[in-house]
């Protein structure tokens, strides 16, 4: 199989790069490295969602309801803000060193969260941990692209997605367990420290090194980075999430504060597009976003499809525990446990897709079939109400899990097979932005919808009870909120029904994403890729 040199638009030989690492890496060393990468990805997934079920005790200790949402959003927001910069760092510096630095940031942020004296320190800790976690996950994908045999790339990528998914589901479970235990919510963050301690010997002494640019010194590498692009990219993502979080919930949509934030975001977005398009203060080879990949139709469609899968997965993970917390009175732990059917199905199909892709080769069929399941599941979730049976909800979310599991991770392997080795890091960063970046954006959009729609729906439904706005905002925080527990039974009933209806409306984002996934899959090239490495061996 010949790879595509996107810069030139021509086919390039798939023979290995002479600077590639030795294929004689000891099997035991590679096996331990894979185990360490999977566990690191699990920790990243764990922290992505662990705040979902610890926000209530955090609010009880610190208050500041207006800042509580940042405990959950701060982590993925920080991750997406630095994904492209991290991708460039992995393209220049030793992957082992960047991974160790990322682990240090992740653990330092976790320690700050666990020992936070106030809400501000907690949010800062979540941001630091988010940066480090993104580096850990990207390191895992980089190691796979550099060291794995071609025939096993898709399977190993599936394993990383599997590990992240397990962590993402265990996050609410573990967070909920600590939230109701004597250990307190702080151990939801402290738990990362002993787990990382177990992995430290592997990270330090087992993981292999790979320096993609050994001829350049550190200062030269730093000078080659597109710092202007990195800053504009981070500002664009951060301001978008800040604007969504503030709009309606903290400030009125028509307020000058909200208008200014949206205006600054639009200016940063425009500046970033222009700066990347015309390589201002950088060069085409050094710009932070791999613009040249946009010349290929299938790469754009893979980006869109992976983004749509991330939307469906992210919304399901965050809002199903909330649904059961309101409608069945589940505590944090029990509500999170109800996600296990989803994660079992999701993980199963992530692995099935990764394992069968090299055999089938026709990658576009996974997106076609996956879109059918996500559309069916999302449309069904749009119909749920407070009295919908758990069995039906499990069946609906299983449909989403099948579809998102089939489409969540395979773009990494497809991109790796369709680009030259010099574009491997660009391809990983490109899909990373789609997967992790869209997850952060989807959660911000879903939170905005939930807060604004929920507030308006509750205000209309409870208009006869003359309740102030602070009660309504707090009631949206969970059925266990102090305000709701002390309310009259009829108010509780109306609130539960209204919030369940609101959560169903939030799944409208999944319907839109699934429809876009279906449209994208139709236009993908119907081809059979060689993902077994056999043709590469012939070329050698």
């Amino acid at each position: 199989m010949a790879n595509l040199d996107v810069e030139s638009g021509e086919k390039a030989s798939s023979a290995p790069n002479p600077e590639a690492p030795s294929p004689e890496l000891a099997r035991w060393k590679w096996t331990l490295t894979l185990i360490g990468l999977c566990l690191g990805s699990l920790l990243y997934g764990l922290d992505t969602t662990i705040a979902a079920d610890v926000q209530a005790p955090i609010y009880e200790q610190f208050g500041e309801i207006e800042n509580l949402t940042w405990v959950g959003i701060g982590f993925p927001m920080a991750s997406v803000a630095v994904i492209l910069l991290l991708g460039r760092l992995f393209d220049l510096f030793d992957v082992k060193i960047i991974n160790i630095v990322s682990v240090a940031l992740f653990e330092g942020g976790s320690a700050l969260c666990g020992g936070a004296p106030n809400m501000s320190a907690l949010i800062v800790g979540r941001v630091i941990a988010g940066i480090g976690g993104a580096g850990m996950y990207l390191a895992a994908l980089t190691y796979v692209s550099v060291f794995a045999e071609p025939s096993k790339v898709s399977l190993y990528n599936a394993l990383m997605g599997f590990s992240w998914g397990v962590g993402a589901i265990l996050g609410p479970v573990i967070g909920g367990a600590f939230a109701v235990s004597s250990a307190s919510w702080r151990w939801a963050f402290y738990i990362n420290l002993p787990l990382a301690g177990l992995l430290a010997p592997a990270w330090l002494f087992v993981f292999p090194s790979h320096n993609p640019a050994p001829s350049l010194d550190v200062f030269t590498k730093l000078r080659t980075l597109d710092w202007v692009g990195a800053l504009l990219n981070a500002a664009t993502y951060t301001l978008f999430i800040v604007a969504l979080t503030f709009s309606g919930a903290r400030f009125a949509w028509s307020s000058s504060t909200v208008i200014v934030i949206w205006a600054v975001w639009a200016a940063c977005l425009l500046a970033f597009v222009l700066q990347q398009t015309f390589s201002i203060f950088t060069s085409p080879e050094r710009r932070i976003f791999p613009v040249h990949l946009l010349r290929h139709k299938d790469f754009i469609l893979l980006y869109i499809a992976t983004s749509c899968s991330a939307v469906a997965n992210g919304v399901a993970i965050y809002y199903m525990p909330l649904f059961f917390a309101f409608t069945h009175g589940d505590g944090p732990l029990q509500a999170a446990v109800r996600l296990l059917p989803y994660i079992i199905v999701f993980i199963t199909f992530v692995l099935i897709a990764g394992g069968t892709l090299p055999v089938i080769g026709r990658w576009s069929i996974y997106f076609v079939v996956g879109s059918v399941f996500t559309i069916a599941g999302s449309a069904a979730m749009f119909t749920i109400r407070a009295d919908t049976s758990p069995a039906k909800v499990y069946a609906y979310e299983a449909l989403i899990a099948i579809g998102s599991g089939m489409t969540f991770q395979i773009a990494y392997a497809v991109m790796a097979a369709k680009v030259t080795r010099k574009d491997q890091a660009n391809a990983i960063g490109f899909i990373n932005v789609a997967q992790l970046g869209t997850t952060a954006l989807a959660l911000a959009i879903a939170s905005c919808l939930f807060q604004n729609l929920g507030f308006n729906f509750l205000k209309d439904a409870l208009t006869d009870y003359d309740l102030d706005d602070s009660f309504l905002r707090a009631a949206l925080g969970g059925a266990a909120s102090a305000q709701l527990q002390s309310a009259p039974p009829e108010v509780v009933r109306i609130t539960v029904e209204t919030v369940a209806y609101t959560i169903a409306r939030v799944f409208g984002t999944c319907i839109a994403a699934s429809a876009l996934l279906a449209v994208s899959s139709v236009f993908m090239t119907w081809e059979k890729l060689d993902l077994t490495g056999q043709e590469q061996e012939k070329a050698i």
Side-chain angles (χ1 to χ4, degrees), residues 262-280:
W262 280 110
V264 175
W265 167 76
C268 286
L269 175 61
L270 178 61
F272 180 64
V273 171
L274 293 175
Q275 190 260 345
Q276 292 296 293
T277 301
F278 299 104
S279 302
I280 302 171

Side-chain angles (χ1 to χ4, degrees), residues 216-233:
L216 301 179
D217 60 66
V218 173
F219 295 105
T220 300
K221 291 178 180 181
L222 291 175
R223 285 197 301 270
T224 64
L225 290 171
D226 178 12
W227 292 107
V228 174
L231 180 61
L232 288 174
N233 174 70

Side-chain angles (χ1 to χ4, degrees), residues 179-243:
V180 298
S181 73
S182 59
S184 85
W185 61 266
R186 294 182 181 276
W187 269 95
F189 304 107
Y190 278 142
I191 191 65
N192 290 321
L193 302 180
L195 292 177
L198 293 175
L199 291 173
W203 282 326
L204 292 172
F205 305 115
V206 177
F207 275 36
S209 295
H210 170 62
N211 186 350
S215 62
L216 301 179
D217 60 66
V218 173
F219 295 105
T220 300
K221 291 178 180 181
L222 291 175
R223 285 197 301 270
T224 64
L225 290 171
D226 178 12
W227 292 107
V228 174
L231 180 61
L232 288 174
N233 174 70
T236 299
Y237 276 106
T238 302
L239 287 171
F240 183 77
I241 294 174
V242 168

Side-chain angles (χ1 to χ4, degrees), residues 365-375 402-404 406-407 517:
I365 194 172
Y366 289 86
F367 293 99
V368 173
V369 177
S371 68
V372 173
F373 282 99
T374 52
I375 288 174
I402 292 172
S404 60
M406 291 180 67
T407 57
L517 172 59

